[in-house]
Amino acid sequence: MWGDAFPSFLIGLREGLEAGLIVSVLVATLVRAGARSRLPQVWTGVLAAIALSMSFGAVLTFTAASLSTTAQEAFGGTLSIVAVAFVTAMVFWMRRSARGLAGEIREKVTGALAMGAGVLVLTSFLAVGREGLETALFLWTTARAANESAGPLTGAGIGLVLAAALCWGLYRRVLRINLTRFFTATGVVLIVIAAGVLGYGLRDLQEGTVLPGGTAYAFDLSGSVDAGAWYSTLLQGVLNLTPAMTWLQVAGYVGYLAVVMTLFVRGVREQSGAGAGAPAGAGAGADAGQRVGSGADGAVAGGKRAAAPRAAPPADPPSARPPAAEPPPTLTSAPTPTTAPTRRRPAWLIPVAVVAVPALLAGLVVALADPKPAAGETVAVSETACGQGFTAPEPGRQDFLMHNTGNQTSEVYLIDPTSNAVYGEIEGLAPGTTRDLVATVSGGTYAWRCVPADGKAVTSKVVRVGGAAGAHAVVPVSERDLAAPLKAYRAYVDRGLATLVTQTGKLSDDIRAGHLGTARADWLTAHRTYASLGAAYGTFEDFDQKIDGRPDGLPGGVHDKDFTGFLRIEYGLWHGEPAAGLKGVAQQLAEDGAGLRKAFPHQDFDSSDLPLRAHEILENTLQFELTGDTDQGSGTGLATADANLAGTRELLAVLKPLLTTRAPRLLPTVDADIARLQKLLDSAHHGTGWTPVDRLDHAAKARLDGATGQLLEDLSPVPDLLEVRKSA
């Protein structure tokens, strides 16, 4: 969390100190001018700026939440680059302006005093509002990069509190800070941090398909770098350097750092040279603002305080009077004729208004960007009529109320009748019930297709929606489409079962001969072969429980007579059980393997199982193997996970022709995920041995779980893309 907190801490400290210095100079100038009554106007402007900044943050958060995943990546990447631009401009501006900041603000306030309350409110609002908007944008960017971490908000809070404390100390003349040196040092650090944010933003734009090269990695050290170590956390949290980065990220990071840092350092040197060569008479002006210790008189001291003809007045005197050289602004106007008393506004009205107006505007923006679909029409469904009441909808997200007026449960699809592509669906709409179907509509043709439980499919009239096309639809898959992948996968399983019969026979021979050391190695080989056939488990019927069943739920646990197969032999081999006690179990396993091979060609393998298994194989891996839940003593859970990954790869290979036409960007992403997970598993494989799951350090375990979870997330669309939908 602290790695995520540091960039936000630094931006909170810098921006908070900048805004706080402006406010402290405003307040000091008013007090010095004897205009304490005008202080509420300053605080009103400050309050308005804070409300605007918080409202801006809310708009960023909620408008992003209403976007699709791809659009969120593009939106976040764009704002990350905008944030880098703002931070870069702020760094260079503060490098130039730190010396004369106090004098510049005093001039503005003196002018505002003579122009009325509104101008003073506006002055403080603009001065603080700019820093607030920059802070909100940068914090939103860093918080998004940190995912669920509370680090960015924690760091920003600490930075803002520290900045407020420093400004109070400066105002009370407790602290003296060399602002030029402070903003130069923090500027260097912020440039490095901004380079990381730029790299993160470019990666988001690649994931949002705005920029190319999303799978062109310059390096991928995820298999060898300990992501949980303190140095990894620091690099990723502070600098946004990740174990895997694309060429575009690296080019953006290095290019930005080289160009901006060179310009910044060159400017600092030129500024220092100009200061060193200033004439003696210009010393006081050149040093003004370098060291700040503002009291009630707003005094600003340099590294060498200019001689003053009089002692500084005490901080915040009750009725401080300005020196003769600087008479206070005239705060009263010429007498006017007596008029009827005017009705005064309540004192609370303006502060409430400046907070409420930004909040209301933000709420309006969020409401307009709300992902809730437009309230749609009610569409009737029955086994004899479909789509009654359907008229051409407006483009955009629509909420159709599907009401089954018939006597049968029906499947309901919103389709493009020219291609039968599906825009949305409801499965099992019962008679007399109403359910929402949300779909995005754009230019094109639309119709409803209703498929009752008993009866033929009914299609509604076709309506046309004007405008550009763009709504996403899934081209339906038929059982005929899945016939070729199913045939290829059945052949793969049949070959695997033939190998399994040979391997379990050898394992049985090892145990019968008492060669338990050899049996352990042959057990792992045979078990990995079986684990690579994951997509067919549902077809194996009772054989799967006999061959690879767990002891969970058995009355006797690992000692129950019904606990058989690979895991029973594993328990015996790694718990010192003699060969005599394992002979019968090993022989039974060999017989069950042979029986499965003989039965498999005649077993019913549902083609719709293939898309489901693309996700479920690794889902079970994450649940059982990567938790050690199935380990009976061998510590080979990662070896089994590796075999499961091989089975998933084989399954995706046979489904590739169907997936490529329906989701061309999916497989490259999944391939990159598989390669990353494979590298992590390979790092736990040492010769013939594997690191047990319970001996992985926390960071390595987190990397494995994270890589598997990411692969599962990217595989999750496969079942929907390749679902066999009813058509008759």
Side-chain angles (χ1 to χ4, degrees):
M1 185 183 78
W2 296 113
D4 295 331
F6 181 74
S8 298
F9 164 77
L10 190 62
I11 200 71
L13 177 62
R14 268 189 65 110
E15 297 281 9
L17 185 59
E18 184 179 341
L21 284 172
I22 293 172
V23 173
S24 65
V25 172
L26 287 171
V27 172
T29 303
L30 289 175
V31 171
R32 184 170 179 242
R36 286 180 176 271
S37 61
R38 308 290 289 274
L39 288 178
Q41 297 164 14
V42 173
W43 297 121
T44 298
V46 171
L47 193 62
I50 294 173
L52 178 65
S53 302
M54 296 180 69
S55 300
F56 179 57
V59 168
L60 291 178
T61 300
F62 289 105
T63 53
S66 70
L67 302 174
S68 66
T69 301
T70 301
Q72 284 184 35
E73 300 292 351
F75 181 71
T78 302
L79 288 187
S80 294
I81 294 175
V82 172
V84 170
F86 276 135
V87 169
T88 305
M90 177 264 291
V91 164
F92 281 88
W93 182 81
M94 283 307 299
R95 189 205 69 202
R96 294 191 303 268
S97 305
R99 290 175 180 267
L101 180 64
E104 181 183 342
I105 296 298
R106 279 201 301 274
E107 290 179 5
K108 291 182 179 179
V109 176
T110 302
L113 280 170
M115 297 179 67
V119 176
L120 190 57
V121 171
L122 183 63
T123 300
S124 59
F125 170 76
L126 293 177
V128 178
R130 190 193 69 158
E131 327 309 331
L133 292 176
E134 289 177 355
T135 303
L137 178 57
F138 193 85
L139 285 182
W140 184 85
T141 302
T142 54
R144 189 172 181 274
N147 295 320
E148 300 299 322
S149 172
L153 294 181
T154 302
I158 295 174
L160 291 171
V161 169
L162 181 58
L166 288 172
C167 290
W168 181 86
L170 291 169
Y171 180 82
R172 303 300 299 177
R173 306 183 67 179
V174 174
L175 302 174
R176 295 179 186 275
I177 294 179
N178 188 314
L179 287 183
T180 301
R181 292 180 182 176
F182 173 82
F183 285 118
T184 298
T186 55
V188 169
V189 178
L190 273 179
I191 288 172
V192 177
I193 291 173
V197 174
L198 176 62
Y200 176 83
L202 292 174
R203 179 58 180 163
D204 271 357
L205 290 175
Q206 288 179 316
E207 293 180 350
T209 69
V210 176
L211 295 177
T215 59
Y217 287 94
F219 57 86
D220 187 352
L221 306 177
S222 55
S224 55
V225 172
D226 184 357
W230 67 269
Y231 56 85
S232 298
T233 303
L234 185 65
L235 286 174
Q236 187 162 343
V238 175
L239 306 181
N240 269 306
L241 291 176
T242 58
M245 296 182 70
T246 64
W247 283 108
L248 181 61
Q249 284 182 278
V250 173
Y253 185 94
V254 174
Y256 173 89
L257 200 58
V259 173
V260 176
M261 188 67 78
T262 300
L263 294 175
F264 184 79
V265 172
R266 181 183 299 171
V268 170
R269 289 176 177 173
E270 291 175 355
Q271 195 174 30
S272 299
D287 283 344
Q290 282 191 354
R291 292 186 181 273
V292 176
S294 303
D297 61 351
V300 180
K304 188 173 182 180
R305 188 175 178 86
R310 55 183 177 79
D316 293 326
S319 58
R321 298 193 59 83
E326 297 184 32
T330 302
L331 303 179
T332 58
S333 57
T336 57
T338 303
T339 59
T342 58
R343 185 176 180 181
R344 299 184 61 184
R345 288 191 299 264
W348 53 265
L349 182 59
I350 293 180
V352 169
V354 299
V355 173
V357 169
L360 289 174
L361 290 176
L364 180 62
V365 172
V366 171
L368 292 175
D370 196 313
K372 291 180 180 178
E377 55 198 15
T378 298
V379 180
V381 174
S382 73
E383 57 271 22
T384 57
C386 183
Q388 290 183 340
F390 180 46
T391 58
E394 294 294 325
R397 282 171 61 83
Q398 301 291 332
D399 184 359
F400 299 99
L401 304 178
M402 310 306 299
H403 179 60
N404 190 340
T405 59
N407 299 317
Q408 295 187 36
T409 298
S410 293
E411 310 289 318
V412 183
Y413 305 104
L414 178 62
I415 64 169
D416 176 356
T418 61
S419 64
N420 288 323
V422 177
Y423 292 98
E425 63 183 301
I426 294 178
E427 296 182 353
L429 182 63
T433 61
T434 301
R435 285 164 59 185
D436 291 349
L437 188 152
V438 178
T440 299
V441 175
S442 64
T445 55
Y446 296 85
W448 292 103
R449 177 165 293 160
C450 306
V451 185
D454 288 323
K456 295 183 178 180
V458 182
T459 303
S460 74
K461 66 178 182 180
V462 178
V463 301
R464 178 171 293 278
V465 176
H472 177 69
V474 176
V475 178
V477 174
S478 67
E479 292 195 9
R480 177 178 297 180
D481 294 327
L482 286 170
L486 180 60
K487 181 179 179 181
Y489 195 78
R490 288 189 72 110
Y492 164 76
V493 174
D494 193 62
R495 294 192 301 270
L497 290 176
T499 302
L500 180 69
V501 170
T502 301
Q503 292 171 344
T504 53
K506 189 173 185 305
L507 173 61
S508 179
D509 292 341
D510 293 337
I511 293 177
R512 185 183 301 109
H515 300 153
L516 298 187
T518 305
R520 293 188 183 95
D522 289 340
W523 174 90
L524 180 58
T525 301
H527 190 238
R528 280 168 53 81
T529 296
Y530 186 78
S532 68
L533 309 177
Y537 288 172
T539 306
F540 291 165
E541 299 174 350
D542 294 339
F543 283 105
D544 183 50
Q545 179 62 31
K546 296 176 182 178
I547 292 173
D548 204 35
R550 297 188 298 274
D552 306 351
L554 296 177
V558 294
H559 303 293
D560 196 278
K561 62 180 180 61
D562 291 328
F563 181 34
T564 60
F566 278 113
L567 299 189
R568 171 64 183 89
I569 296 174
E570 176 188 7
Y571 180 84
L573 288 175
W574 273 272
H575 284 82
E577 190 170 341
L582 295 173
K583 286 181 182 179
V585 181
Q587 179 62 34
Q588 184 63 49
L589 174 62
E591 292 175 2
D592 289 336
L596 174 58
R597 189 198 175 193
K598 183 178 179 180
F600 178 69
H602 309 288
Q603 291 176 328
D604 183 21
F605 199 148
D606 190 342
S607 58
S608 63
D609 279 354
L610 289 180
L612 292 174
R613 298 294 181 263
H615 184 270
E616 289 181 354
I617 296 173
L618 290 176
E619 193 172 50
N620 290 337
T621 302
L622 187 63
Q623 181 181 0
F624 299 115
E625 273 68 41
L626 295 186
T627 60
D629 186 67
T630 57
D631 184 22
Q632 300 299 321
S634 67
T636 58
L638 296 185
T640 305
D642 181 72
N644 289 337
L645 184 61
T648 300
R649 189 184 288 110
E650 180 67 27
L651 178 58
L652 291 173
V654 302
L655 293 174
K656 182 177 180 179
L658 296 177
L659 290 172
T660 301
T661 57
R662 288 165 174 79
R665 297 189 182 95
L666 176 64
L667 284 178
T669 301
V670 168
D671 288 342
D673 292 341
I674 289 176
R676 189 172 299 115
L677 179 56
Q678 186 66 67
K679 187 177 292 187
L680 292 173
L681 291 170
D682 289 344
S683 67
H685 187 194
H686 316 287
T688 59
W690 293 77
T691 302
V693 171
D694 59 2
R695 294 185 188 175
L696 290 172
D697 61 61
H698 178 74
K701 180 65 166 57
R703 287 198 300 270
L704 267 174
D705 290 346
T708 307
Q710 182 62 54
L711 177 53
L712 281 171
E713 181 177 343
D714 290 335
L715 285 172
S716 60
V718 173
D720 283 336
L721 289 171
L722 303 184
E723 179 184 355
V724 177
R725 292 173 168 86
K726 294 181 180 180
S727 59

